[in-house]
Amino acid sequence: MSAPPTILVFDSGLGGLTVLREIVGARPDAHYEYVADDAFFPYGHHSEDQIIARVVPLIGELIAAHAPDLVVIACNTASTLVMSHLRAQYQVPFVGTVPAIKPACALSRTKRVSVLGTKGTVKREYTHALIRDFAQGCEVTLVGSGNLASLAEAALSGHEVGDAAISAELAPCFVEHDSARTDTVVLACTHYPLLMDRLVALAPWPVDWIDPAPAIARRVVDLLGPPGHEADDAGAEMIFTSRRPHTLSRALMPFFGGRAPA
């Protein structure tokens, strides 16, 4: 029986846990290394050159330390910048996270789509190219949030996050023009699905929310194949680059399929 694969999931913080949850469901037999680069969080506060200079060698160090069979960059901001660098330098297969503009525009009935991401993600040429290539006649509104990722981290950590703070970040997504309303919102930051219940409740009208995590999990299975038998060394380890203690174990368990991180 072959050993289960090791999958390294990387994000600037805890948002990638929304991606991890989907991957664990698809490959429960795997061993997971979840790395939160909280020492550099939030990535949206750094320049493109700073992010590339930070992430590319850090991923190399993590590959050397953990020998993963596959690396998932569960961060839109990083993925839109570093994927070509990573694939050029390292032989491990990579799966990135990019704004799900193509499926959102295909789904929209009103042809009004909003992309909610960090300020860096929505201004990046990569995102604008996706709109040019895949908008399919949709009017796409780009909304750069400066605070929603931090609000999601705070909420997951047990801090009180008021409705008004979330609504302020969300409001620009909802556009009504010529009797047509936004009907689809792309969550272009993996942190945002951490607040999904709040987003749905605070939306001024119902919309379809596009979370990239299920598509990422399907891509992982495409690359690694379907799950085998769960082995004794299947499980998960959580790593913070700030080296802070695991103070969030209880909150994190649902993202690890009910297993507490090591």
Side-chain angles (χ1 to χ4, degrees), residues 152-212:
E153 292 248 342
L156 184 61
S157 301
H159 299 292
E160 183 68 27
V161 175
D163 287 350
I166 297 173
S167 293
E169 304 296 313
L170 194 59
C173 294
F174 290 82
V175 179
E176 187 169 7
H177 181 67
D178 292 337
S179 301
R181 287 177 163 183
T182 302
D183 71 346
T184 308
V185 177
V186 176
L187 298 176
C189 173
T190 55
H191 279 77
Y192 300 166
L194 293 170
L195 295 170
M196 183 63 79
D197 290 347
R198 305 282 296 279
L199 300 181
V200 171
L202 294 171
W205 59 77
V207 295
D208 290 314
W209 304 89
I210 307 299
D211 178 358

Side-chain angles (χ1 to χ4, degrees), residues 17-54:
L17 293 171
T18 63
V19 175
L20 177 66
R21 177 170 51 193
E22 293 291 333
I23 302 174
V24 168
R27 287 299 308 252
D29 60 316
H31 177 79
Y32 292 92
E33 301 286 346
Y34 184 89
V35 180
D37 188 17
D38 60 328
F40 211 59
F41 178 83
Y43 280 5
H45 290 180
H46 301 284
S47 72
E48 295 184 3
D49 288 344
Q50 288 173 328
I51 294 170
I52 293 168
R54 166 74 176 184

Side-chain angles (χ1 to χ4, degrees), residues 18-262:
T18 63
V19 175
L20 177 66
R21 177 170 51 193
E22 293 291 333
I23 302 174
V24 168
R27 287 299 308 252
D29 60 316
H31 177 79
Y32 292 92
E33 301 286 346
Y34 184 89
V35 180
D37 188 17
D38 60 328
F40 211 59
F41 178 83
Y43 280 5
H45 290 180
H46 301 284
S47 72
E48 295 184 3
D49 288 344
Q50 288 173 328
I51 294 170
I52 293 168
R54 166 74 176 184
V55 173
V56 174
L58 177 56
I59 293 295
E61 294 170 9
L62 293 167
I63 290 171
H66 302 285
D69 296 279
L70 182 144
V71 176
V72 177
I73 306 299
C75 173
N76 285 265
T77 299
S79 293
T80 56
L81 289 173
V82 305
M83 294 303 294
S84 60
H85 299 277
L86 295 176
R87 288 174 172 144
Q89 292 195 33
Y90 309 116
Q91 297 303 309
V92 178
F94 288 92
V95 177
T97 307
V98 297
I101 291 168
K102 181 178 181 179
C105 290
L107 177 68
S108 176
R109 298 170 297 280
T110 66
K111 298 301 180 182
R112 298 292 186 272
V113 172
S114 290
V115 178
L116 178 61
T118 65
K119 291 182 181 296
T121 294
V122 301
K123 75 178 182 181
R124 202 143 287 137
E125 170 57 25
Y126 191 106
T127 303
H128 290 267
L130 289 174
I131 294 171
R132 289 195 299 269
D133 293 342
F134 301 117
Q136 304 175 54
C138 286
E139 181 179 303
V140 179
T141 300
L142 292 171
V143 179
S145 170
N147 299 312
L148 199 56
S150 294
L151 293 173
E153 292 248 342
L156 184 61
S157 301
H159 299 292
E160 183 68 27
V161 175
D163 287 350
I166 297 173
S167 293
E169 304 296 313
L170 194 59
C173 294
F174 290 82
V175 179
E176 187 169 7
H177 181 67
D178 292 337
S179 301
R181 287 177 163 183
T182 302
D183 71 346
T184 308
V185 177
V186 176
L187 298 176
C189 173
T190 55
H191 279 77
Y192 300 166
L194 293 170
L195 295 170
M196 183 63 79
D197 290 347
R198 305 282 296 279
L199 300 181
V200 171
L202 294 171
W205 59 77
V207 295
D208 290 314
W209 304 89
I210 307 299
D211 178 358
I216 295 170
R218 290 192 295 271
R219 180 60 179 157
V220 169
V221 173
D222 288 344
L223 291 172
L224 294 180
H229 297 289
E230 192 161 351
D232 290 341
D233 54 351
E237 179 183 11
M238 183 108 187
I239 300 167
F240 293 99
T241 57
S242 66
R243 302 187 184 277
R244 62 172 166 150
H246 299 314
T247 58
L248 303 174
S249 293
R250 178 175 295 181
L252 297 177
M253 284 184 65
F255 299 96
F256 288 94
R259 299 173 301 204

